[in-house]
Amino acid sequence: MKLGVNVPNFGPGTRPDVLRGWAETAEDLGFDLLMVSDHVVVTPDVAGQYPAPFYEPFTTLSWLAGITTRIGLGTTVLIVPYRHPLLTARIAANLQQLSGGRLTLGVGVGWARQEFEALGVPYERRGALTDEHLRAIRRAWRDEEDYRAGHIPIWIGGGSDAALRRAVLLGDAWHPLRFTLPWLDERMDRLAAIAAGLGRPAPAFAPRILLRLTDTPVKGAERRAGEGTVGQVLDDLERLRLLGAETVLLDPFGGDPDETNHPEAAWRMLATVAAARTRTEHP
């Protein structure tokens, strides 16, 4: 099972040198993938969680592709309705070529109503637009003379029935974000049922989990996967592997934008998990 890192591309401490530090740290620690988020307009509803500056994901990943050599690159998640589908298809195909085939496109429908309004995109149609855009993107990628995209994996974010159906019909993997394990068990059963109802195989499973290390165990049904002692995190990773996860993305952002001023704390957590996993695999 591969491990990736969600890199904050927003907030007061985010600068080119910090983004470089994230990429070099993740690659040096042996992680397989780094991913960044997406917002186009930092409207008040966005700023409450992800304040400016916000580095556009494709631009950021293109720059990081030139800094790194091995690690995969991706979005978690690109808000599909924000861009014309042929623009998304073009940028993604170009980035796939320029990075040597390292791109994964995690996608979602979006949630920031004010941002949709600022972009002139109808919020109420975001689900339908996402489905339409994804079909158009895949059609464009099949043009081997122009786009020459090859195979770019599409991971579908979201936990609703509509998102699960989208993952079955249009995705290479289902990409749920920051969840409790009881919630995941219920949603995995629901994903299997939806796939069976559609006469399709269930997609692959590539979750993004919180990474928050504590000195003492975190207990209770509300504990999110990736939260607790390093032993609990390793147990969570093993459970996700047994559930069929091909890649797990670790998200060390705890929710306070001031964390972006001190990325070393997140880097230490990542180093702790990487070292513990190595000891487990190669005792």
Side-chain angles (χ1 to χ4, degrees), residues 121-237:
V121 179
Y123 181 82
E124 292 75 14
R125 293 202 66 237
R126 66 194 188 282
L129 286 171
T130 296
D131 293 346
E132 293 168 11
H133 284 22
L134 288 175
R135 291 188 175 96
I137 288 166
R138 287 200 179 277
R139 283 195 300 270
W141 285 348
R142 288 196 289 270
D143 184 343
E144 296 181 359
E145 292 186 3
D146 185 1
Y147 288 83
R148 296 179 292 175
H151 179 67
I152 301 174
I154 293 179
W155 294 359
I156 306 292
S160 67
D161 279 10
L164 299 181
R165 180 183 175 87
R166 185 173 298 115
V168 170
L169 294 175
L170 298 171
D172 295 287
W174 178 45
H175 183 50
L177 312 179
R178 298 168 67 110
F179 47 79
T180 66
L181 290 169
W183 178 91
L184 178 66
D185 289 338
E186 187 277 327
R187 288 286 84 189
M188 289 288 284
D189 289 343
R190 183 61 181 148
L191 178 66
I194 288 173
L198 293 169
R200 301 283 294 271
F205 173 46
R208 179 176 119 199
I209 67 172
L210 175 69
L211 177 61
R212 187 176 78 85
L213 293 183
T214 60
D215 294 329
T216 58
V218 177
K219 299 180 179 180
E222 296 305 309
R223 184 186 77 88
R224 291 170 291 181
E227 186 175 29
T229 64
V230 67
Q232 286 181 296
V233 173
L234 293 180
D235 288 345
D236 290 342
L237 291 174

Side-chain angles (χ1 to χ4, degrees), residues 24-61:
E24 291 176 343
T25 297
E27 190 162 64
D28 290 347
L29 289 172
F31 286 96
D32 302 290
L33 176 67
L34 68 83
M35 304 186 95
V36 297
S37 303
D38 180 32
H39 283 287
V40 175
V41 187
V42 184
T43 47
D45 48 357
V46 173
Q49 299 182 54
Y50 311 108
F54 204 107
Y55 283 71
E56 196 278 327
F58 283 128
T59 308
T60 303
L61 291 173

Side-chain angles (χ1 to χ4, degrees), residues 9 36-39 54-65 73-75 78-79 83-85 87-96 98 103-107 137 141 152:
N9 53 319
V36 297
S37 303
D38 180 32
H39 283 287
F54 204 107
Y55 283 71
E56 196 278 327
F58 283 128
T59 308
T60 303
L61 291 173
S62 296
W63 183 64
L64 294 177
L73 308 162
T75 55
L78 190 82
I79 308 305
R83 300 165 180 84
H84 192 284
L87 175 62
T88 300
R90 175 75 64 195
I91 298 172
N94 291 167
L95 180 52
Q96 174 78 336
L98 293 168
L103 181 63
T104 296
L105 199 66
V107 301
I137 288 166
W141 285 348
I152 301 174

Side-chain angles (χ1 to χ4, degrees), residues 231-255:
Q232 286 181 296
V233 173
L234 293 180
D235 288 345
D236 290 342
L237 291 174
E238 177 62 11
R239 181 169 176 179
L240 294 171
R241 186 188 70 82
L242 293 173
L243 285 172
E246 297 181 356
T247 302
V248 175
L249 192 71
L250 301 178
D251 184 355
F253 179 63

